[in-house]
Amino acid sequence: MGKEAASAFGRWFALNDFPVNVALKAVCDLSEQVLSWYKMIPTVDLLTSDYKELLARADIDIVYVALPHNLHKEYYLEVLDAGKDLLAEKPFGIDLAAALEIQDAAERMGRFVRCSSEMPFLPGPQRVISEIQSGNLGEIIEIKAGFLHSSDLDPAKPINWKRQNKFCGEIGVMGDLGMHVLHVPLRLGWKPTQVHAQLQKIITERPDGKGGTAVCDTWNNASLHTEVDMAGNRVPMTLEMKRMAAGETNTWYIEVLGTKGGVRYSTKDTKTLWTFKCADEQVWQRMDLGFKGMVFPTITGGIFEPGFPDCFMQMLAAYVAEREGVLKDKFGCVTPEEAVASHYIFDAALSSFANNTVEKINYRTLNEEIRNK
Ligand SMILES: NC(=O)c1ccc[n+]([C@@H]2O[C@H](COP(=O)([O-])OP(=O)(O)OC[C@H]3O[C@@H](n4cnc5c(N)ncnc54)[C@H](O)[C@@H]3O)[C@@H](O)[C@H]2O)c1
């Protein structure tokens, strides 16, 4: 993901009239091979395997940290302590306790902190949000959202840190994909009040890459059946996070249905927005979207279709714009509060599956959780 960020900064000029310039100045990684890739970037003048060297640099304002989940808390806290602002990666700490500590430190120190989730910056999700906010849907009947991968269906795929609880976290696939799924619902104020979770460990052993096998103990798939309170209505919201979804390489989707209309978007069909109208006749209508619908205008023509590097760049632009106070009413990155809320949901999901219960989700404020202890 560090390389992905570097690629976005490298074509910052593609953003039209963007008020803030950025330059990638320094990179830290333990791997010499990874570090040497960054040698081709002219603005980078520090490549190091010692992150303290990077944090000591006075000319660095923002640090993007893309590390295995077990390292999030320690490194995020050090970045904040060093006086830097932070673009964190999801899941924003390996568990709820870590996420709360990071949120607490950011607030105490007054740093600007946001968490990564890029898919909602595509034109499709943006139109989904505006359709919902327009009131065109009437009373909301149900919400479905998900993020689906499939490469884990290959039993010969070697183990990596994301497939081991001690590095990825007890929340498994929820930590990997869940923040992406919840970004839009949480931004719309749809904070589920309860959850019934189905969690699956399907392939429990994988090649260790050294000729042997290793235990794969993370949840592969999660289906969270939640409920959102909308003006007294108990609205079902189903959230899918799967590493084993047949044929889905990186499919992010959302569908919201109401009494008067509906809206549906999936990255599987990147430029297509589906809208539903319920009148004399019931009609699903398909529309092509292009760069015209991007959050931040770019030099790319309005009819051309965007992809992953584009929404990643838009997310970085949103981070920088919000930090500078120029985001205005545009869509912003995941806030620490939203990241912590996602952890409350995942935490309740773990209890729900362990006990086969419907769990209430008890969101608490920082004061209740940490400062009043
Ligand atoms: N936003 C997204 O779409 C997206 C996609 C994939 C991963 N992620 C998130 O990004 C983070 C990293 O995931 P990834 O897929 O890039 O992992 P990765 O394993 O590909 O990369 C992690 C890098 O960290 C380096 N590293 C490990 N320990 C280190 C240390 N102590 N100091 C310095 N460098 C160290 C490794 O050498 C490696 O290059 C995770 O939080 C993951 O959930 C986000």
Side-chain angles (χ1 to χ4, degrees):
M1 294 314 294
K3 291 178 180 175
E4 203 59 58
S7 129
F9 294 136
R11 57 192 185 96
W12 205 249
F13 48 76
L15 293 163
N16 264 346
D17 303 322
F18 193 75
V20 193
N21 211 356
V22 296
L24 180 63
K25 295 297 292 175
V27 180
C28 171
D29 202 291
L30 294 183
S31 151
E32 277 307 319
Q33 200 194 350
V34 171
L35 276 182
S36 71
W37 180 88
Y38 292 90
K39 283 185 186 155
M40 64 181 132
I41 301 171
T43 55
V44 173
D45 54 25
L46 175 68
L47 293 175
T48 179
S49 55
D50 176 6
Y51 70 95
K52 287 186 192 287
E53 219 185 324
L54 184 152
L55 294 182
R57 284 268 297 256
D59 61 339
I60 289 173
D61 304 309
I62 302 166
V63 184
Y64 169 51
V65 186
L67 284 173
H69 305 166
N70 60 314
L71 301 176
H72 281 191
K73 185 178 88 179
E74 179 191 342
Y75 282 77
Y76 292 1
L77 294 183
E78 273 209 57
V79 167
L80 301 175
D81 237 359
K84 314 292 185 198
D85 287 337
L86 169 70
L87 175 57
E89 259 302 344
K90 46 82 189 169
F92 203 74
I94 197 163
D95 55 19
L96 174 61
L100 283 162
E101 271 191 64
I102 299 160
Q103 184 192 21
D104 182 47
E107 280 190 19
R108 270 190 294 107
M109 296 182 206
R111 308 273 184 261
F112 182 71
V113 176
R114 291 292 180 268
C115 177
S116 165
S117 154
E118 60 280 359
M119 296 301 176
F121 288 89
L122 287 167
Q126 288 300 309
R127 277 298 290 268
V128 167
I129 293 169
S130 58
E131 283 294 317
I132 293 163
Q133 289 174 336
S134 72
N136 288 344
L137 273 53
E139 194 178 295
I140 304 291
I141 298 172
E142 64 174 356
I143 304 146
K144 289 180 186 155
F147 201 20
L148 309 175
H149 287 184
S150 59
S151 63
D152 280 22
L153 277 170
D154 175 5
K157 180 177 163 180
I159 194 105
N160 61 22
W161 65 262
K162 286 180 194 163
R163 274 89 199 152
Q164 295 172 277
N165 277 351
K166 62 181 170 181
F167 305 117
C168 179
E170 293 290 328
I171 53 179
V173 68
M174 293 186 282
D176 216 4
L177 306 179
M179 189 67 257
H180 292 285
V181 178
L182 277 156
H183 189 175
V184 171
L186 290 174
R187 186 59 52 88
L188 289 165
W190 296 340
K191 240 174 155 178
T193 52
Q194 63 178 45
V195 60
H196 180 255
Q198 289 168 315
L199 308 179
Q200 291 170 284
K201 289 185 184 175
I202 301 155
I203 292 187
T204 53
E205 218 171 55
R206 289 194 172 275
D208 63 5
K210 300 171 204 148
T213 54
V215 174
C216 174
D217 55 0
T218 51
W219 298 114
N220 297 134
N221 285 2
S223 301
L224 310 190
H225 306 279
T226 75
E227 193 172 279
V228 181
D229 184 348
M230 289 192 203
N233 289 339
R234 297 171 54 184
V235 178
M237 177 162 82
T238 307
L239 307 168
E240 279 191 304
M241 300 134 209
K242 295 186 175 169
R243 288 174 176 162
M244 292 196 192
E248 308 289 357
T249 52
N250 195 45
T251 305
W252 183 102
Y253 73 87
I254 186 162
E255 178 179 281
V256 182
L257 300 177
T259 49
K260 293 190 183 142
V263 64
R264 182 195 290 161
Y265 174 78
S266 168
T267 57
K268 194 147 188 92
D269 210 354
T270 319
K271 62 183 184 178
T272 302
L273 179 80
W274 289 94
T275 48
F276 175 71
K277 281 197 182 54
C278 185
D280 293 344
E281 289 177 309
Q282 300 191 4
V283 184
W284 272 106
Q285 176 177 283
R286 176 192 168 123
M287 185 179 13
D288 276 6
L289 300 171
F291 256 79
K292 199 167 64 158
M294 279 298 204
V295 176
F296 295 93
T298 71
I299 50 95
T300 307
I303 63 162
F304 300 124
E305 52 280 87
F308 183 84
D310 301 303
C311 61
F312 202 81
M313 184 183 192
Q314 294 275 321
M315 175 186 77
L316 295 177
Y319 177 95
V320 173
E322 192 170 7
R323 181 178 178 273
E324 292 290 320
V326 295
L327 186 68
K328 298 185 183 140
D329 57 354
K330 290 185 188 302
F331 189 78
C333 298
V334 169
T335 63
E337 294 72 24
E338 289 165 339
V340 166
S342 77
H343 271 288
Y344 275 107
I345 297 164
F346 306 150
D347 204 52
L350 288 180
S351 304
S352 162
F353 185 74
N355 306 315
N356 196 14
T357 47
V358 175
E359 291 287 321
K360 294 272 176 234
I361 307 170
N362 297 313
Y363 306 95
R364 286 144 63 105
T365 64
L366 257 183
N367 274 343
E368 288 166 338
E369 280 288 358
I370 290 186
R371 297 197 186 134
N372 287 346
K373 259 190 189 161

